[in-house]
């Protein structure tokens, strides 16, 4: 690339690299930028949690 | 070139006496000058065969344009010191617009012309070029790159004011026909008189660039409008900007293709059917266990056969080993009818929920159904697809990457229209 290719474009280059890096990270980890389904995730503390206005309890549904 | 050998004009100017006021005039071009404008009395004199100045003619300093530089100022351009030897103020005959041309001289490098118009600067140099039958657009190689130039203006001019030493008879009424062809940041300018044709190649210069050539700070005038060859961006390289964006888009598409084709499994891991045919009270459903082998996102495709009916299914996905839980829900509704001679329908019997960040393991899910209290939904199919390729992330990233170029393109289009606003040959007039 000829001299001056990045003239005035350093911030834009950083922006593009950041965008692509974040995109790759999200894809490889199965994360969503925008979750339309309003999915919620919790660990195994079995705490009650509201979802869509309803209370879920593991004891009720667990087999 | 004898003048170069006999007279090193770069540092030691030749002193001559003005035949009108008797004061010294300094000639950096020595005897190559054909006419000399005295900075003391504003008379222009000519050299005779004996190298004496004669026939002084009074010129008027009647232009409203401000002369920015002094005769003798040094401009250091690409490490070569040029001396400002004259300035000419020219006025176009048709539209009466005026501009200033400063001639910069170096004994071996030749002359350059620094042109200032409405605060915009161009640095021009004479080139070996000839075009017999001029076209409105043509290719000319700049730095070995074929560049398309388009006709911007045709005009004639009059010299309004001139000072300094000239390599030609500045007061001769050449009355040349001029044509300017532009390809930002370049301009090709042609001056054609009865006896000669001269072509110049010019390049637009920013104020910072002009200032960098000078050893002292000069208050340069602010710019007005858009110059014919003014590039859209002077602070950054527009071509590089487009190439960088293109590279980013190509990388994005390639990554997504490889990711979808080789990385993600996109495999159905669970398919279940639930019925509500027996009792309306059946609103809590539990799936058998299934394995998700690839960590990542999974699609839950929910399908029913609703006829003017609705349901809402709230899921709890549970990892059998770790107890991790994922909560999500989806409503389905489908209505149809026949009204005023037209069949209509709305809603859908199939919806997909993408659940992100599921770690590999054995799962089951519970569904809590909310539906019409008197109308059964009959059947509900749920299919789980692991290793989905998250196209929504791709589209959002592509959109974000393209936002800046699209805005820039719109601004550049507007800028180009303004560039051609003063031209009689604007491509936008044909639209």
């Amino acid at each position: 690339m000829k001299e001056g290719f990045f003239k005035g474009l350093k911030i834009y280059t950083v922006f593009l690299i950041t965008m692509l890096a974040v995109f790759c990270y999200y894809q490889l980890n199965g994360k969503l930028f925008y979750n339309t389904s309003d999915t919620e995730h919790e660990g195994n503390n079995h705490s009650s949690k509201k979802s869509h206005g309803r209370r879920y309890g593991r004891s009720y549904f667990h087999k | 070139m004898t003048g170069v050998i006999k007279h090193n004009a770069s540092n030691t100017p030749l002193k001559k006496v003005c035949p009108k006021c008797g004061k010294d005039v300094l000639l950096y071009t020595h005897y190559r000058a054909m006419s000399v404008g005295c900075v003391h009395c504003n008379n222009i004199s000519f050299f005779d065969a004996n190298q004496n100045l004669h026939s002084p003619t009074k010129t008027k300093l009647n232009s409203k344009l401000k002369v920015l530089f002094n005769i003798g100022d040094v401009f250091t351009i690409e490490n070569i010191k040029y001396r400002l030897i004259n300035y000419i103020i020219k006025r176009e005959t048709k539209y009466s617009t005026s501009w200033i041309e400063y001639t910069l001289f170096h004994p071996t490098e030749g002359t350059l012309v620094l042109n200032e118009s409405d605060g915009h600067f161009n640095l021009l140099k004479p080139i070996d070029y000839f075009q017999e039958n001029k076209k409105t657009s043509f290719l000319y190689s700049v730095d070995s790159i074929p560049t398309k130039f388009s006709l911007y203006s045709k005009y004639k001019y009059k010299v309004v004011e001139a000072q300094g030493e000239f390599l030609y008879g500045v007061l001769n009424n050449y009355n040349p026909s001029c044509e300017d062809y532009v390809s930002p940041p370049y301009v090709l300018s042609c001056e054609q008189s009865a006896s000669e044709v001269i072509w110049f190649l010019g390049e637009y210069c920013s104020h910072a660039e002009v200032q960098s050539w000078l050893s002292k700070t000069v208050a340069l005038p602010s710019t007005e409008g858009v110059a014919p060859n003014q590039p859209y961006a002077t602070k950054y390289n527009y071509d590089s900007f487009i190439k960088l964006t293109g590279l980013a888009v190509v990388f994005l598409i390639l990554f997504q293709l490889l990711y979808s084709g080789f990385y993600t499994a996109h495999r159905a891991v669970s398919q279940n059917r639930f019925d509500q045919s027996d009792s309306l009270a059946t609103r809590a459903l539990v799936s058998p266990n299934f394995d998700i082998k690839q960590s990542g996102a999974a699609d839950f495709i929910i399908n029913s056969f609703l006829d003017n009916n609705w349901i809402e299914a709230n899921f709890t996905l549970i990892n059998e080993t770790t107890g991790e839980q994922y909560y999500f829900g989806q409503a389905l509704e489908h209505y149809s009818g026949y009204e005023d001679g037209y069949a209509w329908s709305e809603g859908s019997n199939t919806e997909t929920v993408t659940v992100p960040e599921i770690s590999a393991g054995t799962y089951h899910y519970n569904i809590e159904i909310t539906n019409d209290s008197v109308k059964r939904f009959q059947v509900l199919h749920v299919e789980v697809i692991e290793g989905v390729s998250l196209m929504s992330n791709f589209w959002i990233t592509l959109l974000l990457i393209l936002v800046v170029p699209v805005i820039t393109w719109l601004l550049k289009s507007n800028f180009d229209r303004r560039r051609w606003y003063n031209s009689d040959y604007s491509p936008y007039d044909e639209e």
Side-chain angles (χ1 to χ4, degrees):
Chain A
M1 291 179 195
K2 69 179 182 181
E3 196 177 315
F5 184 87
F6 291 102
K7 178 193 165 193
L9 293 171
K10 289 191 179 82
I11 292 174
Y12 184 62
T13 307
V14 169
F15 164 75
L16 287 179
I17 290 171
T18 307
M19 282 292 303
L20 293 172
V22 170
F23 168 73
C24 293
Y25 173 78
Y26 267 62
Q27 293 297 74
L28 294 173
N29 287 282
K31 292 159 81 88
L32 279 171
F33 283 141
Y34 179 62
N35 190 350
T36 52
S37 64
D38 195 23
T39 309
E40 293 177 26
H41 174 209
E42 74 175 32
N44 61 348
N45 57 2
H46 298 192
S47 64
S48 58
K49 182 161 180 104
K50 288 231 173 200
S51 176
H52 310 286
R54 284 171 184 77
R55 182 177 292 270
Y56 289 84
R58 196 178 179 199
S59 58
Y60 176 74
F61 285 116
H62 248 357
K63 291 190 294 182
Chain B
M1 293 296 288
T2 52
V4 175
I5 298 164
K6 287 168 70 176
H7 312 289
N8 182 2
S10 62
N11 295 317
T12 316
L14 175 70
K15 271 188 190 173
K16 295 299 268 185
V17 175
C18 173
K20 185 69 179 178
C21 68
K23 292 183 177 175
D24 286 344
V25 289
L26 301 177
L27 301 179
Y28 294 97
T29 61
H30 289 217
Y31 291 111
R32 272 184 282 178
M34 285 180 64
S35 50
V36 179
C38 176
V39 294
H40 307 292
C41 65
N42 301 320
N43 279 274
I44 290 182
S45 310
F46 299 88
F47 276 110
D48 61 17
N50 298 319
Q51 298 182 332
N52 292 316
L53 291 169
H54 69 96
S55 306
T57 305
K58 184 77 176 172
T59 60
K60 293 177 183 174
L61 300 180
N62 56 358
S63 173
K64 291 176 183 173
L65 295 184
K66 185 185 175 190
V67 179
L68 303 168
F69 313 110
N70 299 317
I71 306 293
D73 279 356
V74 174
F75 288 68
T76 307
I77 302 171
E78 293 177 354
N79 294 323
I80 298 169
K81 291 185 186 301
Y82 289 85
R83 184 81 66 171
L84 197 155
I85 57 169
N86 68 45
Y87 75 83
I88 312 171
I89 298 179
K90 296 178 176 178
R91 181 182 294 153
E92 191 181 3
T93 53
K94 189 177 177 184
Y95 296 113
S96 297
T97 52
S98 299
W99 66 95
I100 310 181
E101 291 180 1
Y102 302 92
T103 305
L104 309 177
F105 173 79
H106 185 276
T108 56
E109 297 293 329
T111 58
L112 299 174
V113 177
L114 182 64
N115 179 315
E116 188 264 313
S117 177
D118 290 333
H120 298 282
F121 288 88
N122 276 294
L123 188 66
L124 300 104
K125 62 180 177 184
I127 52 169
D128 292 328
Y129 184 66
F130 180 72
Q131 193 184 121
E132 192 167 8
N133 300 310
K134 298 193 194 78
K135 300 168 186 170
T136 52
S137 68
F138 57 88
L139 289 176
Y140 176 80
S141 289
V142 181
D143 295 333
S144 305
I145 300 169
T147 308
K148 186 186 175 187
F149 283 85
S150 301
L151 177 63
Y152 186 88
S153 61
K154 291 183 180 180
Y155 58 94
K156 291 185 177 231
Y157 67 80
K158 285 199 300 189
V159 174
V160 177
E161 188 180 318
Q163 274 199 357
E165 56 194 289
F166 298 88
L167 305 179
Y168 55 93
V170 68
L171 293 182
N172 289 354
N173 190 16
Y174 288 121
N175 200 23
S177 298
C178 302
E179 294 175 11
D180 286 346
Y181 298 83
V182 296
S183 177
Y186 303 109
V187 59
L188 272 175
S189 195
C190 171
E191 282 194 22
Q192 182 166 6
S193 64
S195 57
E196 63 180 355
V197 182
I198 309 171
W199 284 82
F200 294 89
L201 173 65
E203 185 171 357
Y204 188 87
C205 311
S206 65
H207 281 195
E209 212 170 353
V210 173
Q211 190 63 67
S212 72
W213 297 334
L214 298 159
S215 58
K216 60 183 179 183
T217 304
V218 176
L220 302 176
S222 53
T223 56
E224 288 179 31
V226 177
N229 62 323
Q230 183 180 352
Y232 169 66
T234 53
K235 290 183 179 173
Y236 67 94
N237 187 331
Y238 184 77
D239 287 344
S240 301
F241 169 73
I242 296 299
K243 285 176 187 169
L244 271 176
T245 308
L247 277 175
V249 171
V250 167
F251 176 87
L252 185 74
I253 292 170
L254 273 178
F255 182 91
Q256 186 63 23
L257 285 174
L258 293 172
Y259 175 74
S260 302
F262 298 103
Y263 185 80
T264 54
H266 201 85
R267 182 171 48 226
V269 292
S270 168
Q271 286 177 313
N272 293 302
R273 173 193 167 109
F274 304 98
D275 295 294
Q276 201 190 31
S277 52
D278 301 336
S279 166
L280 268 169
T282 309
R283 289 200 170 96
L285 312 168
V286 180
S287 79
N289 287 354
F290 58 92
D291 291 330
I292 288 181
K293 291 175 181 167
Q294 184 174 41
S295 296
D299 276 349
F300 282 67
I301 302 169
I302 304 155
N303 175 259
S304 187
F305 299 101
L306 301 170
D307 181 19
N308 292 312
N309 199 359
W310 65 274
I311 63 166
E312 184 180 333
N314 290 304
F315 287 74
T316 305
L317 176 69
I318 301 153
N319 188 313
E320 291 294 310
T321 312
T322 65
E324 280 182 293
Q325 298 181 18
Y326 302 81
Y327 306 93
F328 53 96
Q330 181 63 49
L332 284 180
E333 59 177 355
H334 186 261
Y335 294 90
S336 62
Y338 196 80
E339 199 170 294
D340 297 332
Y342 294 98
W344 60 270
S345 70
E346 63 181 37
S348 173
N349 270 311
T350 304
E351 296 287 351
T352 301
V353 182
T354 301
V355 183
E357 298 180 78
I358 300 176
S359 46
T362 302
Y363 287 85
H364 81 272
Y365 55 81
N366 304 324
I367 311 175
E368 186 189 15
I369 300 289
T370 306
N371 71 325
D372 193 301
S373 58
V374 293
K375 211 169 183 179
R376 293 171 186 157
F377 63 81
Q378 303 291 345
V379 66
L380 182 70
H381 291 281
V382 178
E383 183 178 16
V384 183
I385 310 285
E386 71 166 345
V388 294
S389 54
L390 298 175
M391 285 304 290
S392 65
N393 283 353
F394 170 79
W395 291 118
I396 289 171
T397 309
L398 185 65
L399 189 72
L400 289 174
I401 286 177
L402 292 180
V403 161
V404 178
V406 166
I407 292 171
T408 306
W409 180 80
L410 290 172
L411 293 173
K412 186 175 181 297
S413 298
N414 180 49
F415 185 87
D416 281 337
R417 282 182 179 275
R418 288 167 58 210
R419 172 202 315 291
W420 286 94
Y421 182 73
N422 290 323
S423 171
D424 292 333
Y425 305 93
S426 169
Y428 297 102
D429 289 345
E430 295 166 5
E431 292 178 359

